[in-house]
């Protein structure tokens, strides 16, 4: 005899399925500081216009400055790559390349050449790890350079306070924000728990400092972030690969 399943049971199962799916596919909502928003917009503009991927952009030094109309962001500064400049007025981003329309455009390193160089560096690091494992610092969590240009040079370390974001919540925001700067967040998450510390900058802003070195597809990289410990705002997040950064 076949046991009938009640309509009530089916409805409960359906609701549980929907709730489970919603949790599984939930996206962590993040807010970015004006600086982080400008950098993200500039990065996207260069990638779309000139065909660079996240790892290639991370190879170049990224710097920004506030202008009367918004922001100016520059990636590069090396003769091999030239400079990519983005002017962002808060609504429209305009990207240009210093070698565009010149003879150097044909010989400058573009995406494929930069990635090839990064993979060479990655091979060197793997050999170094094999031959001298005690020097394999790139796989250990370290403090990054995300403090540049955001009034955080006078950072002091502090104990988390009641009401601060938990480590778990800060990590959720970190991994979501990392999607702005890297191609494979799964590889970053699989590399292990990042270095984390609660800090206070010279302006009294409490933040989570988070950093992780990892290797993905043969490329050594480092993702560093500062996340407001009270509001959860992404103050700054950067990705540096084995290049000029």
């Amino acid at each position: 005899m076949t046991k009938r399943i009640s309509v009530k049971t089916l409805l409960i199962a359906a609701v549980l399925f929907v709730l489970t799916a919603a949790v599984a596919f939930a996206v962590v909502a993040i807010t970015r500081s004006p600086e982080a928003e400008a950098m993200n917009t500039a990065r996207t503009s260069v990638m779309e216009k000139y065909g660079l991927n996240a790892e290639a952009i991370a190879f170049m030094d990224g710097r920004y400055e506030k202008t009367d109309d918004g922001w100016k962001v520059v990636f590069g500064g090396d003769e091999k790559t030239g400079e990519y400049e983005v002017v962002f007025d808060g609504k429209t981003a305009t990207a240009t390349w210093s070698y565009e329309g010149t003879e150097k455009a044909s010989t400058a390193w573009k995406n494929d050449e930069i990635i090839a160089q990064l993979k060479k560096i990655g091979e060197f690091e793997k050999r170094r790890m094999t031959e001298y494992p005690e020097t394999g610092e790139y796989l250990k969590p370290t403090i990054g350079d995300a403090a540049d240009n955001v009034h955080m040079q006078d950072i002091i370390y502090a104990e988390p306070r009641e009401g601060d974001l938990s480590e778990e919540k800060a990590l959720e925001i970190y991994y979501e924000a990392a999607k702005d700067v890297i191609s494979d967040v799964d590889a970053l998450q699989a590399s292990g728990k990042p270095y984390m510390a609660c800090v206070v900058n010279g302006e009294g802003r409490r933040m989570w400092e988070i950093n992780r070195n990892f290797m993905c597809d043969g490329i050594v990289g480092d993702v560093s972030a500062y996340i407001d410990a009270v509001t959860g705002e992404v103050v700054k997040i950067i990705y540096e690969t084995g290049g000029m950064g």
Side-chain angles (χ1 to χ4, degrees), residues 154-168:
D154 298 325
I155 277 180
I156 59 174
Y157 291 88
E159 292 296 322
R161 290 180 180 173
E162 184 178 354
D164 283 353
L165 290 179
S166 65
E167 284 194 14
E168 292 75 14

Side-chain angles (χ1 to χ4, degrees), residues 50-64:
Y50 295 104
L52 274 65
N53 64 17
E55 286 67 34
I57 288 196
F59 175 77
M60 298 180 283
D61 177 49
R63 55 195 186 276
Y64 60 84

Side-chain angles (χ1 to χ4, degrees), residues 38-81:
M39 287 294 289
N40 184 47
T41 300
R43 192 180 297 107
T44 300
S45 298
V46 172
M47 291 170 68
E48 290 178 350
K49 184 172 182 178
Y50 295 104
L52 274 65
N53 64 17
E55 286 67 34
I57 288 196
F59 175 77
M60 298 180 283
D61 177 49
R63 55 195 186 276
Y64 60 84
E65 64 181 68
K66 189 79 172 68
T67 65
D68 292 338
D69 299 324
W71 298 89
K72 182 174 78 172
V73 179
V74 177
F75 300 103
D78 186 275
E79 290 185 2
K80 298 182 184 70
T81 63

Side-chain angles (χ1 to χ4, degrees), residues 6 8 15 31 33 53 62 87 99 114 116 120 128 131 136-137 151 161 172 208 217-218 221 224 237:
S6 69
K8 181 179 179 181
V15 170
T31 56
S33 68
N53 64 17
V87 177
Y99 289 166
I114 294 173
K120 287 181 182 178
R128 185 165 67 89
E131 297 172 11
E137 297 297 325
H151 310 293
R161 290 180 180 173
E172 284 184 15
W208 279 107
D217 195 24
S224 302
I237 185 161

